[in-house]
Amino acid sequence: MFARQFRVKSNTAIKGSDRRKLKADVSAAFPSLTADELCELIPNKEELNVVKIYAHKGDAVTLYVLHKNPLFFELEKRLYPTVYVLWRHPALLPTFRTWPPVLEKLIGGADLMLPGVVAPSGGLPNVKRGDCCSVTLVNNRAFGDKSGPPSFPDAEGEGQEANGEDYEVDDTQEEAERCEEEEEEQLSSEKVKDQPCCGSEALSLAVQEEQRADEEEEADQEDQKMPQETMDALLLQCFLHALKRKVKKSELPLLTSTFLRNHMFSCCPSGKQLDIKKSSYKKLSKFLQAMQKQHNLIRVKELTKGVESIVEVDWNNKELRYFKVVEETNGDAAAAAQDGGEAEPPYHPPEITTLYSVSARLEPLFLDANKRKGTILQPAEVRHIVTEYVKKNELVDENNKNYVTVDPTLCDCLLEKSEYQEVQSLKWDDLFGRALGKMAECYEVVFPGHAPVRKKGHMEPIDVSVASRGSNKKVTLIKNLDAYGLDPAAVGAALQRRVQASSVLQPVPGSKDKVVVQIQGNQIHQVGRLLTDYYQIPRKYIQGLDKAPKSGKK
């Protein structure tokens, strides 16, 4: 399974509840492990990672890794120990011994048959169909991986039945001994000498064996792979750059050809040329499908026959949020300086994400997903968990799939007391809206180069207002700039140059370090342009722009 290349889908640290569940599953699957051995394999405080991968045949496999050493892997809801664990606990599974020439066949994918098994003096172990077994070499208990590098699991197999009966040792003892003599004669004729090794020596030998097998093939493909990998990286860079800086929500749905021509090409760094045919994808459609399925960044749909469009962008995707656009030149900033003089210091707006915290009332709805009270989730995660709950409990209305039947848990979590006897079902949108409405809202702010900061409540917007001073005189006030990393003095100076009016900084009453920018006249229109166009602050985080004077009025 792991002898060929596989693809990593995710690699995350295990949560406390998942760690406890893994311990319980390992203890149930391998009862021979003592409590101390179990704690040694799965310690309570050391970092343990959950790695989800796809094998070369498409099998979805979950690995549990401690200090970069894989311990167990889960396939089709069944746990298997890795070779690394078998080296540390060789008695964990029933073991069959064989000779090195047989191992070569096993590496090629062959099954271990009875003639290839070396029978010990105590007889062969009793195994049933489906029992997990390990394979070792004569005089070398630690060497048993039949299909891949020892740092990955595949040193075990499953027992098979013979003639519908459980395998019995006594019935095959003579046959096993005869096969052992034949194997010894073959070893003698081939002058094979096995050298016992264990621990790190076995790991080194197995890795070297695998590397030698692939060395020539890798050398032949290296020259072809590197240009493809470089172009793949450039494609991803231009794709993320285009989504982050070029594409607006109002443009969706967006033709994929237009996205490539008008957005991705313009994001290509100077001195480089974007050429999809030189990538591993070869076609734009395949690349966008990968961005949809593997990265969950976009959703592509064929709105008209043969014509694909980007219909949805996940703006909250972490890969997109944390992507930093490489600024090659200061041309744009220089132009801004000539226009308004506010080019320095450079400013990058923060990434603001609305999040939701699981409340005590909604905790029963999230228990199946191991989300306890206080767990912070993105809206998409909330929708996914609620959807999985509905599907698991078969609550979709059979007559109208747009409705969800309200069970006792949904009733307690989402309905008001006055609705208990009246509401029997909810529309999907109403269901999601009620779930989010019952959760505590919070937000995450990420400034470039800084760690994310999470806070409760709403992100306070920049407040822009107009006040009267004296007889028929008006001033524009701008508050809460510092929450967005903006320097009030720099904003005031930029506005002063733009509108040729005086500006001052006024302290906020009741606050020691916060100030308000005050500029003469109703300058809301210019303030809006400065904040949205130059500083790239989203309009939804600016309050009061609707109070700008109508065209033709002062």
Side-chain angles (χ1 to χ4, degrees):
M1 177 181 296
F2 301 98
R4 299 183 183 178
Q5 187 175 9
F6 56 87
R7 177 170 60 83
V8 177
K9 179 184 178 183
S10 63
N11 186 348
T12 58
I14 196 170
K15 297 180 181 179
S17 57
D18 293 336
R19 187 190 297 259
R20 291 191 293 271
K21 182 178 182 301
L22 176 62
K23 266 191 174 182
D25 292 344
V26 171
S27 179
F30 309 105
S32 62
L33 286 173
T34 65
D36 291 340
E37 290 173 337
L38 189 61
C39 289
E40 180 186 359
L41 282 175
I42 311 174
N44 292 327
K45 296 184 178 180
E46 296 183 41
E47 183 177 353
L48 183 67
N49 284 41
V50 181
V51 183
K52 296 186 178 181
I53 68 171
Y54 289 114
H56 68 281
K57 289 187 177 180
D59 297 318
V61 185
T62 301
L63 291 171
Y64 297 96
V65 182
L66 177 69
H67 302 315
K68 299 183 179 181
N69 291 316
L71 302 177
F72 300 92
F73 70 98
E74 186 175 352
L75 177 64
E76 297 180 350
K77 298 183 179 180
R78 181 173 180 181
L79 275 176
Y80 298 87
T82 64
V83 177
Y84 174 77
V85 169
L86 292 177
W87 287 343
R88 296 175 62 178
H89 302 279
L92 187 64
L93 298 176
T95 302
F96 291 91
R97 292 190 305 156
T98 188
W99 300 101
V102 179
L103 177 65
E104 298 295 331
K105 302 296 183 181
L106 300 183
I107 291 176
D111 293 329
L112 179 61
M113 308 300 287
L114 186 59
V117 176
V118 178
S121 57
L124 296 175
N126 291 328
V127 294
K128 299 179 181 179
R129 176 183 293 273
D131 286 353
C132 194
C133 309
S134 64
V135 179
T136 64
L137 294 182
V138 175
N139 299 326
N140 185 5
R141 292 188 74 187
F143 201 162
D145 188 345
K146 68 182 182 66
S147 63
S151 53
F152 292 107
D154 206 2
E156 62 273 346
E158 293 183 354
Q160 301 292 325
E161 291 181 359
N163 300 325
E165 303 289 339
D166 291 346
Y167 178 85
E168 295 293 342
V169 177
D170 296 339
D171 296 340
T172 58
Q173 186 67 38
E174 293 182 2
E175 176 69 15
E177 291 176 354
R178 184 183 62 79
C179 293
E180 180 176 356
E181 293 176 0
E182 293 179 356
E183 293 288 352
E184 289 176 350
E185 292 176 2
Q186 179 183 358
L187 288 173
S188 177
S189 63
E190 294 179 358
K191 297 182 178 180
V192 177
K193 180 180 180 182
D194 65 308
Q195 300 176 356
C197 59
C198 59
S200 60
E201 293 180 2
L203 175 63
S204 176
L205 284 174
V207 170
Q208 290 175 11
E209 182 178 355
E210 183 68 20
Q211 287 177 343
R212 284 195 301 268
D214 296 336
E215 189 172 4
E216 293 184 3
E217 182 179 354
E218 290 179 357
D220 294 338
Q221 296 178 353
E222 189 67 21
D223 292 338
Q224 296 179 356
K225 287 175 62 178
M226 290 306 295
Q228 284 190 353
E229 292 175 355
T230 302
M231 187 57 66
D232 287 354
L234 182 60
L235 268 176
L236 180 60
Q237 176 186 337
C238 295
F239 174 81
L240 294 173
H241 187 167
L243 290 183
K244 199 174 186 76
R245 291 290 181 87
K246 302 291 184 179
V247 178
K248 297 180 180 179
K249 191 173 183 180
S250 58
E251 293 181 270
L252 302 178
L254 178 65
L255 291 174
T256 57
S257 57
T258 303
F259 174 70
L260 175 66
R261 181 176 61 254
N262 295 349
H263 298 311
M264 285 187 64
F265 280 149
S266 63
C267 294
C268 186
S270 60
K272 296 184 180 181
Q273 185 175 359
L274 201 60
D275 190 346
I276 295 181
K277 292 183 179 180
K278 293 183 179 179
S279 70
S280 61
Y281 303 99
K282 304 303 181 184
K283 295 181 179 180
L284 176 63
S285 59
K286 290 186 177 181
F287 170 72
L288 294 180
Q289 285 297 324
M291 295 301 102
Q292 174 176 286
K293 295 180 179 179
Q294 299 175 17
H295 297 257
N296 298 317
L297 283 161
I298 58 172
R299 188 164 68 89
V300 178
K301 190 174 182 181
E302 191 176 281
L303 298 180
T304 58
K305 189 174 181 180
V307 181
E308 291 186 333
S309 298
I310 298 175
V311 297
E312 186 178 334
V313 177
D314 184 5
W315 307 105
N316 293 323
N317 185 286
K318 289 189 176 182
E319 186 175 7
L320 180 60
R321 287 168 51 205
Y322 295 154
F323 175 74
K324 294 182 180 180
V325 177
V326 179
E327 302 291 349
E328 293 188 306
T329 66
N330 295 323
D332 294 338
Q338 293 177 1
D339 179 47
E342 61 275 358
E344 294 183 359
Y347 170 80
H348 298 283
E351 296 288 342
I352 305 169
T353 306
T354 301
L355 304 172
Y356 294 88
S357 175
V358 177
S359 60
R361 180 173 178 178
L362 262 67
E363 189 174 25
L365 183 58
F366 290 85
L367 281 180
D368 289 345
N370 294 319
K371 306 298 182 185
R372 302 290 180 177
K373 176 185 175 182
T375 303
I376 296 177
L377 303 170
Q378 293 190 14
E381 294 178 294
V382 176
R383 293 174 66 93
H384 175 73
I385 292 172
V386 173
T387 301
E388 290 300 311
Y389 176 86
V390 171
K391 291 181 179 179
K392 179 180 179 181
N393 293 277
E394 300 180 350
L395 299 179
V396 179
D397 193 318
E398 294 182 356
N399 299 321
N400 189 343
K401 297 189 181 298
N402 293 325
Y403 285 84
V404 174
T405 302
V406 176
D407 70 347
T409 299
L410 292 178
C411 179
D412 294 339
C413 292
L414 304 181
L415 298 186
E416 302 296 335
K417 290 185 178 180
S418 60
E419 298 176 316
Y420 284 178
Q421 303 301 324
E422 300 176 0
V423 179
Q424 303 298 323
S425 61
L426 294 170
K427 283 188 174 182
W428 279 103
D429 289 344
D430 191 14
L431 181 72
F432 296 137
R434 287 173 180 255
L436 293 173
K438 300 294 183 183
M439 301 178 74
E441 189 170 335
C442 49
Y443 63 92
E444 181 182 78
V445 182
V446 182
F447 286 95
H450 294 78
V453 177
R454 290 183 173 180
K455 296 183 179 181
K456 295 181 179 179
H458 301 271
M459 178 70 173
E460 291 187 20
I462 297 173
D463 182 71
V464 184
S465 60
V466 176
S468 298
R469 295 288 187 268
S471 176
N472 200 28
K473 290 185 178 180
K474 295 182 178 181
V475 295
T476 302
L477 305 175
I478 313 169
K479 304 176 184 176
N480 205 33
L481 291 169
D482 54 327
Y484 294 80
L486 288 168
D487 181 5
V491 174
L495 283 171
Q496 185 173 352
R497 287 189 292 269
R498 284 193 173 205
V499 302
Q500 296 299 307
S502 63
S503 68
V504 294
L505 301 181
Q506 300 284 359
V508 175
S511 177
K512 296 181 179 180
D513 54 354
K514 292 188 177 182
V515 295
V516 177
V517 176
Q518 175 181 303
I519 189 166
Q520 287 183 350
N522 187 338
Q523 309 295 351
I524 291 182
H525 182 66
Q526 290 293 338
V527 171
R529 288 186 58 188
L530 179 69
L531 294 177
T532 58
D533 295 345
Y534 179 70
Y535 289 114
Q536 298 292 312
I537 301 294
R539 195 178 182 88
K540 65 180 180 179
Y541 294 116
I542 306 173
Q543 176 178 286
L545 295 184
D546 55 328
K547 299 176 183 177
K550 302 295 182 180
S551 178
K553 295 183 180 181
K554 295 185 178 179

